[in-house]
Amino acid sequence: MRVLVAEDDPAIAAGLCAALRESGHSVDRVESGRQADHALSDHAYSLLVLDLGLPGLDGTEVLQRLRQRGDQLSVLVVTARDGVADRVRVLDLGADDYLVKPFALTEFSARTRALLRRRASHGAPEMHLGHLRLDLPGRRAWVDARSLELTAREFSLLEALALRQGKLTSRTQLVESLCDWDQELTDNGLDIAMHRLRRKLKGSHTRVRTVRGLGYVLEESADGQESS
Ligand code: CA
């Protein structure tokens, strides 16, 4: 999934970004409240990791604006402010969880997993399509009982398609969900990942249908018909 980290301390930000990337997420990092506000308006994220003490626009203001726009994105606040009043205020403004610095990166990773699990599932921990089963927070996939060996990129591709199953996903949307700002994905790179994913989905009774010039649709194919 794609995560935005808004943190002005370079050392802390580096740790958070590394932990998130290790869990297979695409990560964008911003250093000020304004940058966070712009990034949140311009891109679709699955999670925001938000420091409260940000230069320019304070983290609480970023959160307030986000919720005022009606954005239900999961928000994990990480802050040095540890007073009860601070915590209550942030949770009341719509944060989903709260970590007080300093914290262990293992706890940070566990909290992000829990948040993404809640978000992905709304109660159901898995997604099913055809004979395909997906554990989004655990980043695992199976065809019947067979575990699929997917690279991080292939899983992200499958995830992006599965979250919009039956609906069209454009190439731009796929590239957005696969990449952070520091990476580039060429058209060719997307085609290669798609080719490999389709090959691995054989026997899953699902297919990735190409809608020429528009994008792709992940759908059930009752007869085991292959991708086109
Ligand atoms: Ca700070």
Side-chain angles (χ1 to χ4, degrees):
M1 307 209 184
R2 194 166 174 183
V3 180
L4 182 68
V5 172
E7 167 63 75
D8 59 329
D9 183 307
I12 295 175
L16 299 177
C17 292
L20 288 162
R21 291 198 174 109
E22 198 165 303
S23 304
H25 302 300
S26 299
V27 187
D28 294 333
R29 187 207 159 195
V30 291
E31 297 167 34
S32 78
R34 291 254 173 252
Q35 288 172 341
D37 198 47
H38 286 148
L40 290 164
S41 309
D42 290 349
H43 302 278
Y45 293 99
S46 302
L47 174 70
L48 166 65
V49 179
L50 180 65
D51 174 31
L52 291 188
L54 287 173
L57 198 63
D58 190 74
T60 52
E61 284 175 76
V62 173
L63 181 56
Q64 220 162 358
R65 288 178 182 221
L66 178 77
R67 294 309 188 216
Q68 275 165 2
R69 288 195 293 270
D71 197 324
Q72 295 304 307
L73 168 73
S74 297
V75 179
L76 172 60
V77 164
V78 291
T79 179
R81 299 178 199 169
D82 60 353
V84 173
D86 289 318
R87 277 186 236 198
V88 169
R89 178 166 153 71
V90 164
L91 292 171
D92 279 348
L93 283 177
D96 296 278
D97 202 359
Y98 194 101
L99 265 177
V100 176
K101 296 173 189 171
F103 49 80
L105 283 176
T106 48
E107 181 175 8
F108 168 73
S109 294
R111 299 279 185 112
T112 57
R113 273 200 301 279
L115 280 177
L116 291 171
R117 195 158 49 226
R118 248 183 275 163
R119 179 182 183 277
S121 58
H122 294 283
E126 294 182 344
M127 288 184 70
H128 295 261
L129 185 67
H131 292 208
L132 178 68
R133 181 160 59 96
L134 279 179
D135 167 12
L136 295 183
R139 301 185 70 74
R140 290 173 301 171
W142 299 264
V143 170
D144 295 320
R146 175 170 60 93
S147 173
L148 284 185
E149 299 290 327
L150 298 174
T151 63
R153 177 165 285 175
E154 288 160 5
F155 187 88
S156 297
L157 182 58
L158 179 57
E159 175 184 51
L161 290 164
L163 287 171
R164 299 177 51 77
Q165 58 178 267
K167 290 187 213 142
L168 184 77
T169 311
S170 70
R171 286 180 71 93
T172 312
Q173 284 171 320
L174 289 178
V175 169
E176 279 246 312
S177 56
L178 257 57
C179 280
D180 52 44
W181 296 338
D182 301 333
Q183 297 172 315
E184 270 191 58
L185 181 65
T186 58
D187 267 359
N188 194 31
L190 179 59
D191 288 337
I192 290 170
M194 185 67 82
H195 174 74
R196 293 192 175 140
L197 176 64
R198 280 170 160 165
R199 214 174 46 200
K200 292 178 183 181
L201 286 179
K202 272 184 188 160
S204 67
H205 290 248
T206 67
R207 64 170 182 166
V208 183
R209 181 163 56 86
T210 303
V211 183
R212 212 156 292 283
L214 293 176
Y216 302 91
V217 181
L218 177 68
E219 58 191 15
E220 214 166 330
S221 62
D223 52 358
Q225 193 182 351
E226 279 180 24
S227 298
S228 56

